[in-house]
């Protein structure tokens, strides 16, 4: 019997707002689509958390023996700004005086670099919006032919009211009523072209100054943001597929529009299970570049920021993220990351200790029951916090066995070791950096000693020694930062 047949997974479906038993369309196979980044800036922390959650889910399905086609797109055109006339990549290209594809290349490379540093598995397919312009035009023509879209002054809009009149249910995912959608519609550029204010763009006519443009039956323009995901998900996964994921901020209007577009083309619901990750906060406040309460993933790893007291490794940050359920709000702070760092080190120390444990003829602990609890946690909507609590039960096992206070048989030790490796490395995607963490710990100790020496020198007005410590560390690529909470350091 295949492993996946012996496990019953329940996942929370945003469409029904309930946990459901997961039943793939095709036995042993899963199609999963996750909305990827719009590559006009450095990938932000909220994106990383969302992609990390689906990386974990992808890893678990693979471990269970499923053949998974995981599609995560790159939005390199068509993501409209609030004026509904210019996409973000064109805007950034104009600001930086670069070609749009230079912007795309620059930030796609950054995206891949960050995900690699956080030990992500690559998706099966990573399609781009610009690579599917023809398919998007074909989809628009199909929606027009079905009477659910209309051309206006070189642009094409989806007719939301007509869609609902013909049996559609715009708002089915976000649970918004049409009156609410209409009342919350902002007055934006292009509204005069629409039949109804809630209609959304499938194709936008390009102004003369617009950089990214393609020919179409309606004139030169560019696709709307929502259409690309409809086209690429169904092209690679079929008219109906298993799982569609993304951040909860995409539920409306992006995912709502995807459903409407797909039903307008095929008259079928495109997705069986919609999954959404929750938001991130920083020091209990909403992250915002305008207020300065914002931090990039690379800044966490380098320590080059004014928010955290020190740098943190990618393994620690990943472990920290896994300690919260993907549907829970996650708050970043120095205190929380430092606590996670200690837990991460204990876990990795236990992984190293496993291979040095001695065995006996019998076990004083029930490893099979513990293993079943680990699978039970993951099968309950991928509950990584509960899984981690079970892993720390195993850390206690390891420590008491190491101290000779408990015994374990050879077969149970193999079961314990294999299960720990599966969940720590294969599923959670953590990397065993025990040696690196030990080195980091020693560096922290040496740096604290130098920081204390420098403080003593400054207290004694020995400015020469204080400057010498600072300058020589700088030559070694270690920057000291003096703040109201004391001195911290970052390694360049």
């Amino acid at each position: 019997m295949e492993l996946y047949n012996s496990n019953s997974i329940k996942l929370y479906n945003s469409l029904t707002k309930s946990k459901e038993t997961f039943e793939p369309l095709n036995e042993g196979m899963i199609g999963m689509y996750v909305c990827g980044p719009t590559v006009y800036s450095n990938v932000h922390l909220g994106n990383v958390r969302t992609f990390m959650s689906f990386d974990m889910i992808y890893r678990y399905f693979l471990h269970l023996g499923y053949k998974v086609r995981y599609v995560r797109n790159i939005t390199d055109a068509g993501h409209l700004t609030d004026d509904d006339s210019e996409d973000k990549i064109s805007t950034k290209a104009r600001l930086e005086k670069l070609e749009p594809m230079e912007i795309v290349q620059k930030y796609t490379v950054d995206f891949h670099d960050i995900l690699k540093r956080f030990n992500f598995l690559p998706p099966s397919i990573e399609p781009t919006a610009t690579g599917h312009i023809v398919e998007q035009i074909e989809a628009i023509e199909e929606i027009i032919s079905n009477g659910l879209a209309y051309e206006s002054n070189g642009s094409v809009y989806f007719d939301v009211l007509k869609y609902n009149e013909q049996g559609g249910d715009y708002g089915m995912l976000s649970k918004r009523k049409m009156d609410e959608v209409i009342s919350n519609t902002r007055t934006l550029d292009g509204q005069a072209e629409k039949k109804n204010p809630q209609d959304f763009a499938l194709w936008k006519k390009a102004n003369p100054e617009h950089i990214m443009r393609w020919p179409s039956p309606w004139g030169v323009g560019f696709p709307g943001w929502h259409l690309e995901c409809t086209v690429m998900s169904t092209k690679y996964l079929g008219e109906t597929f298993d799982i569609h994921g993304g951040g909860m901020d995409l539920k409306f209007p992006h995912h709502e529009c995807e459903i409407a577009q797909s039903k307008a083309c095929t008259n079928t619901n495109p997705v069986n299970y919609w999954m959404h990750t929750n938001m991130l906060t920083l020091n209990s406040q909403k992250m915002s570049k305008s207020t300065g309460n914002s931090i990039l993933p690379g800044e966490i790893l380098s320590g080059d920021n004014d928010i955290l007291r020190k740098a943190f490794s990618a393994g620690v940050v990943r472990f920290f993220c896994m300690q919260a359920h993907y549907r829970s709000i996650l708050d970043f702070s120095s205190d929380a990351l430092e606590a996670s760092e200690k837990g991460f080190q204990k876990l990795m120390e236990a992984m190293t200790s496993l291979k040095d444990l001695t065995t006996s003829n019998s076990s004083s602990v029930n490893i099979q029951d513990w293993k079943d609890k680990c699978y039970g946690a993951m099968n309950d909507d991928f509950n990584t916090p509960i899984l981690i609590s079970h892993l720390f039960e195993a850390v206690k096992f390891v420590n008491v066995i190491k101290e000779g206070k408990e015994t374990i048989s050879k077969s149970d030790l193999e079961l314990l070791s294999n299960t720990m490796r599966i969940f720590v490395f294969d599923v959670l995607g953590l990397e065993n950096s025990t040696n690196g963490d030990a080195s980091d710990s020693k560096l922290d100790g040496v740096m604290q000693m130098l920081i204390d020496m420098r403080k003593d020198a400054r207290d004694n007005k020995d400015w020469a020694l204080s400057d010498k410590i600072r300058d020589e560390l700088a030559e070694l690529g270690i920057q000291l930062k003096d703040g109201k909470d004391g001195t911290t350091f970052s390694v360049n």
Side-chain angles (χ1 to χ4, degrees):
M1 181 181 290
E2 294 288 345
L3 184 56
Y4 59 77
N5 286 331
S6 63
N7 290 277
S8 178
I9 297 175
K10 291 188 179 296
L11 56 80
Y12 185 86
N13 189 349
S14 299
L15 190 63
T16 61
K17 291 188 177 296
S18 63
K19 284 186 187 178
E20 300 178 3
T21 299
F22 176 63
E23 297 180 2
L25 287 166
N26 299 296
E27 184 178 354
M29 303 177 70
I30 295 173
M32 182 168 75
Y33 185 90
V34 174
C35 292
T38 302
V39 283
Y40 71 98
S41 64
N42 298 106
V43 61
H44 64 73
L45 206 53
N47 285 148
V48 170
R49 195 242 175 142
T50 291
F51 302 139
M52 191 179 292
S53 295
F54 287 102
D55 180 66
M56 171 271 295
I57 292 168
Y58 179 39
R59 286 169 173 272
Y60 188 57
F61 281 139
L62 291 176
H63 163 64
L64 293 182
Y66 286 100
K67 182 177 180 181
V68 185
R69 179 173 290 173
Y70 174 23
V71 182
R72 187 186 66 215
N73 72 301
I74 295 286
T75 296
D76 57 353
H79 195 150
L80 305 184
T81 54
D82 286 348
D83 67 2
D84 205 26
S85 63
E86 181 77 289
D87 73 61
K88 293 181 178 180
I89 293 164
S90 287
T91 301
K92 193 63 174 285
R94 188 170 289 109
L95 289 172
E96 295 194 13
K97 295 182 171 57
L98 296 171
E99 284 293 323
M101 285 299 112
E102 288 183 275
I103 295 293
V104 166
Q105 179 69 9
K106 175 181 177 180
Y107 293 113
T108 300
V109 168
D110 170 74
F111 172 66
H112 288 148
D113 177 62
I114 289 295
L115 266 55
K116 183 177 181 181
R117 295 174 75 180
F118 282 98
N119 197 32
F120 281 64
L121 297 178
S124 311
I125 304 172
E126 193 173 51
T128 64
T130 56
H132 295 77
I133 298 295
V134 171
E135 291 91 338
Q136 291 181 75
I137 290 173
E138 290 173 348
I140 295 170
E141 290 176 324
E142 180 70 17
I143 296 172
I144 291 174
S145 70
N146 290 336
L148 294 173
Y150 56 90
E151 187 270 338
S152 177
N153 193 31
S155 295
V156 181
Y157 296 97
F158 189 94
D159 194 329
V160 173
L161 291 183
K162 192 170 184 181
Y163 167 73
N164 276 6
E165 289 169 0
Q166 294 188 7
D169 187 9
Y170 189 75
M172 64 184 296
L173 178 65
S174 59
K175 310 305 179 190
R176 299 190 184 204
K177 303 298 183 184
M178 187 52 59
D179 289 345
E180 180 185 353
V181 173
I182 293 172
S183 65
N184 289 336
T185 301
R186 294 166 295 176
T187 303
L188 303 174
D189 179 72
Q191 291 286 57
E193 298 175 349
K194 301 179 182 181
K195 291 181 179 179
N196 308 294
Q198 69 275 10
D199 294 349
F200 57 89
L202 299 175
W203 186 266
K204 285 294 292 183
K205 178 182 179 180
N207 296 325
E209 66 274 12
H210 198 282
I211 306 173
M212 302 182 81
R213 52 177 61 219
W214 290 267
S216 80
W218 317 284
V220 175
F222 56 97
W225 170 35
H226 312 301
L227 189 62
E228 62 174 286
C229 288
T230 294
V231 164
M232 290 187 281
S233 61
T234 55
K235 175 175 180 176
Y236 297 110
L237 299 175
E239 290 182 356
T240 302
F241 55 95
D242 297 299
I243 295 172
H244 193 313
M248 65 181 299
D249 58 312
L250 297 181
K251 191 182 293 185
F252 186 88
H254 184 55
H255 290 161
E256 200 75 72
C257 294
E258 282 191 59
I259 294 173
Q261 290 165 162
S262 290
K263 292 184 73 174
C265 284
T266 64
N267 201 33
T268 59
N269 282 316
V271 180
N272 281 353
Y273 304 92
W274 286 89
M275 300 181 68
H276 293 92
T277 59
N278 213 324
M279 65 182 292
L280 280 174
T281 56
L282 185 59
N283 292 323
S284 301
Q285 301 294 322
K286 182 180 178 180
M287 279 194 277
S288 170
K289 290 182 180 180
S290 61
T291 63
N293 193 50
S294 176
I295 188 170
L296 293 172
E299 294 172 339
I300 298 173
L301 303 182
S302 69
D304 186 17
N305 63 81
D306 297 322
I307 294 174
L308 305 178
R309 288 188 288 269
K310 55 174 284 186
F312 294 93
S313 71
V316 167
V317 177
R318 186 169 180 122
F319 178 67
F320 171 75
C321 290
M322 293 294 107
Q323 286 182 290
H325 192 270
Y326 75 89
R327 289 192 288 114
S328 299
I329 293 175
L330 178 61
D331 184 53
F332 267 75
S333 70
S334 259
D335 288 343
L337 284 166
E338 286 171 28
S340 285
E341 186 173 52
K342 293 176 182 176
F344 177 78
Q345 290 171 356
K346 288 180 181 177
L347 182 59
M348 291 305 162
E349 287 165 5
M351 296 304 298
T352 300
S353 297
L354 274 169
K355 57 179 177 287
D356 298 323
L357 295 184
T358 57
T359 61
S360 68
N361 294 327
S362 62
S363 292
S364 55
V365 290
N366 190 324
I367 302 302
Q368 184 60 51
D369 283 353
W370 167 82
K371 175 183 175 181
D372 291 342
K373 288 194 294 184
C374 290
Y375 278 99
M378 287 301 293
N379 290 343
D380 183 15
D381 196 28
F382 312 101
N383 200 323
T384 55
I386 299 299
L387 170 64
I388 288 172
S389 72
H390 295 324
L391 293 177
F392 274 94
E393 290 176 19
V395 171
K396 292 179 182 177
F397 296 164
V398 170
N399 289 336
V400 296
I401 293 167
K402 188 178 178 181
E403 293 167 3
K405 297 177 181 178
E406 301 277 6
T407 59
I408 191 167
S409 68
K410 182 178 179 181
S411 60
D412 273 356
L413 178 59
E414 289 178 354
L415 182 62
L416 175 63
S417 298
N418 289 338
T419 305
M420 287 285 282
R421 281 195 296 270
I422 286 168
F423 285 107
V424 173
F425 302 139
D426 297 349
V427 175
L428 295 181
L430 305 177
E431 293 183 285
N432 192 344
S433 52
T434 301
N435 294 333
D437 286 340
S439 298
D440 290 344
S441 179
K442 291 175 182 177
L443 175 61
D444 287 346
V446 171
M447 285 304 305
Q448 192 58 54
M449 179 182 69
L450 290 170
I451 288 170
D452 290 343
M453 287 175 59
R454 180 169 173 264
K455 182 179 182 300
D456 289 342
R458 296 174 75 183
D459 289 345
N460 294 326
K461 295 184 170 47
D462 188 349
W463 309 118
L465 177 58
S466 171
D467 292 346
K468 179 180 175 64
I469 293 172
R470 180 199 63 203
D471 295 343
E472 291 193 6
L473 285 173
E475 289 179 7
L476 295 171
I478 300 174
Q479 303 294 324
L480 296 182
K481 294 192 293 183
D482 296 316
K484 63 179 181 179
D485 296 323
T487 301
T488 59
F489 73 94
S490 61
V491 181
N492 297 331

